[in-house]
């Protein structure tokens, strides 16, 4: 934090102090929500790891990439925004930008792979049902390799990383293509292979799914029939995946549009505040995946409820009010049992009407007439007596 580049004008904020404070506040909220949501989602996935379906591996991988972005970007972006300048130097700026590109591209590529898997399972179920967990793991590894190529490129002088136009964060140098051929080729490849191609695949995959569902009821029955017991979950994953894709692309499209404007247009005419606002939208993408799946996927909600039930019981038992309530509850139960066993009789109590002194001759059987009884509760013990034996006492002493 102490070299000369830290004090250069390139690391100073180019937007107002109020806008920086607003950015820092929003980033703080996103950081908390993303940490809670993605950690809970990963915990739920860990507890149900033995029953995970292949498509759910991509949900978990998306949560990992979101959590990686949260842990690598927000701790640096938040203090820099509040300080009205980048605080962490040139080398950290490069690493910050690389992490942003790596986790951002991993999330988008992961959503692309998920859309292909969903399309395969719905549109070509004979082949899609053969897609196993091992295939999903290989595809997840390929997603990280694909994103790593473009994330490491600027560190190998294919493109450049530099401070953002608003000054308090770092990303790809979008102005470099105006005066450098290698930077231009990097931006073109990045735009084609990491935005246009993934968005096209996602669009056509879910379009084919929609056409298949609408055009062939037989295909739908194959997909959601109870024969495999897992296809219902796949149908739900398709719907939730569409929701996550819309949220993710909606968050990143403003930033991508401004980046292309700066790269292939007049970069001096792009407002720094517009880049700052687009960056806020882009970083909000880390909270969509856990919100959608934890709120809308039934088996995730059920597993989460089971995981938290013990914690809720511990909190309840540790509260000051819990012990009196438990004692009061046990007393009520004990009194209830006593009242059942020694209840106030209306003349039909068990045992009455039976022969009390019987001999072999039935005519000599002496039968005691039914009597009303009561249990006296005053004192440490209680005694059951007939009502006729009671003196005039307050009714509160009797049960």
């Amino acid at each position: 934090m102490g070299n000369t580049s830290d004090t250069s004008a390139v690391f100073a904020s180019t937007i107002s102090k109020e806008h920086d404070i607003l950015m820092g506040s929003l980033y703080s909220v996103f950081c908390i929500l993303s940490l809670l949501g993605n950690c809970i989602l990963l915990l739920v996935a860990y507890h149900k790891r033995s029953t995970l379906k292949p498509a759910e591996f991509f949900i978990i991988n998306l949560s990992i990439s979101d959590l990686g972005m949260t842990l690598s970007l927000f701790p640096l972006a938040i203090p820099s925004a509040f300080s009205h300048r980048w605080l962490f130097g040139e080398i950290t700026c490069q690493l910050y930008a690389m992490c942003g590109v790596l986790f951002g591209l991993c999330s988008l590529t992961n959503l692309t792979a998920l859309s292909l898997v969903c399309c395969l399972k719905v549109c070509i179920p004979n082949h899609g049902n053969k897609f196993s967990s091992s295939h999903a793991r290989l595809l997840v590894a390929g997603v990280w390799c694909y994103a790593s190529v473009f994330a490491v490129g600027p560190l190998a002088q294919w493109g450049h990383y530099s401070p953002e136009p608003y000054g308090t964060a770092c990303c790809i140098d979008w102005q470099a293509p105006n005066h450098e051929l290698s930077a231009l080729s990097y931006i073109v490849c990045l735009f084609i292979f990491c935005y246009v191609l993934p968005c096209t695949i996602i669009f056509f995959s879910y379009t084919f799914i929609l056409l298949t569902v609408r055009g062939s009821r037989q295909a739908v029955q194959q997909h959601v029939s109870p024969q495999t017991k897992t296809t219902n979950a796949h149908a739900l994953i398709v719907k939730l995946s569409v929701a996550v894709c819309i949220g993710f692309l909606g968050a990143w499209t403003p930033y991508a549009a401004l980046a292309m404007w700066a790269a292939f247009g007049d970069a001096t005419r792009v407002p720094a505040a517009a880049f700052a606002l687009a960056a806020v939208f882009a970083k909000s993408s880390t909270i969509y995946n856990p919100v959608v799946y934890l709120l809308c996927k039934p088996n995730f909600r059920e597993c989460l409820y089971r995981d938290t039930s013990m914690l809720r019981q511990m909190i309840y038992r540790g509260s000051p009010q819990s012990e009196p309530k438990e004692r009061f509850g046990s007393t009520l139960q004990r009194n209830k049992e006593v009242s059942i066993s020694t209840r106030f009789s209306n003349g039909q109590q068990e045992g009455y009407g039976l022969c009390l002194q019987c001999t072999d001759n039935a005519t000599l059987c002496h039968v005691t007439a039914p009597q009303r009884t009561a249990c006296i509760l005053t004192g440490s013990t209680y005694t059951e007596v007939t009502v006729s034996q009671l003196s005039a006492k307050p009714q509160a002493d009797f049960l």
Side-chain angles (χ1 to χ4, degrees), residues 127-345:
H127 296 283
N129 292 332
K130 297 178 182 179
F131 189 84
S132 64
S133 298
S134 59
H135 296 143
R137 293 188 182 96
L138 288 175
L139 200 52
V140 164
V143 164
W144 283 98
C145 293
Y146 188 87
S148 298
V149 170
F150 291 93
V152 176
L155 298 181
Q157 302 305 312
W158 185 39
H160 296 285
Y161 289 135
S162 70
E164 292 269 24
Y166 54 90
T168 56
C170 301
C171 194
I172 297 167
D173 187 355
W174 302 112
Q175 301 182 20
N178 294 325
H179 50 79
E180 191 172 331
L181 186 59
S182 65
L184 177 62
S185 66
Y186 174 78
I187 297 298
V188 170
C189 291
L190 186 71
F191 181 67
I192 294 175
F193 294 105
C194 297
Y195 188 78
V196 175
L197 183 61
C199 290
T200 303
I201 293 174
I202 290 172
F203 175 77
F204 279 107
S205 295
Y206 291 121
T207 299
F208 288 147
I209 290 173
L210 181 62
L211 293 176
T212 301
V213 170
R214 287 188 173 183
S216 175
R217 299 303 301 176
Q218 183 179 2
V220 174
Q221 293 302 321
Q222 285 181 352
H223 181 61
V224 299
S225 65
Q227 295 176 357
T228 62
K229 296 183 180 181
T230 61
T231 51
N232 284 330
H234 293 316
L236 181 61
I237 288 174
V238 169
K239 298 176 183 178
L240 300 184
S241 300
V242 171
V244 173
C245 287
I246 292 174
F248 185 89
L249 295 177
W252 278 97
T253 296
Y255 189 89
L258 288 175
M260 293 304 102
W261 181 8
F264 301 108
D266 187 359
T268 60
R269 299 183 61 183
V270 182
F275 255 110
L277 182 61
V280 170
F281 277 110
K283 289 182 174 63
S284 69
S285 64
T286 58
I287 64 177
Y288 299 148
N289 181 49
V291 168
V292 169
Y293 282 100
L294 288 176
L295 294 182
C296 302
K297 203 165 190 302
N299 60 344
F300 275 48
R301 290 200 311 268
E302 293 169 3
C303 187
L304 177 61
Y305 183 81
R306 290 195 303 269
D307 292 342
T308 57
S309 61
M310 184 176 297
L311 178 62
R312 291 196 304 270
Q313 292 175 4
M314 292 174 61
I315 293 175
Y316 174 77
R317 290 173 181 172
S319 61
Q321 295 85 359
S322 62
E323 185 176 353
K325 288 182 180 178
E326 291 177 357
R327 189 184 301 115
F328 180 68
S330 61
T331 303
L332 287 178
Q333 181 66 23
R334 185 164 55 251
N335 289 342
K336 183 178 179 181
E337 294 172 355
V338 169
S339 66
I340 291 174
S341 61
T342 60
R343 61 186 178 276
F344 194 99
S345 174

Side-chain angles (χ1 to χ4, degrees), residues 335 338 342 374-385 393 396-399:
N335 289 342
V338 169
T342 60
C375 181
I376 301 176
L377 299 179
T378 55
S380 59
T381 61
Y382 57 85
T383 305
E384 184 176 344
V385 296
K393 285 179 174 287
D397 292 340
F398 307 151
L399 178 60

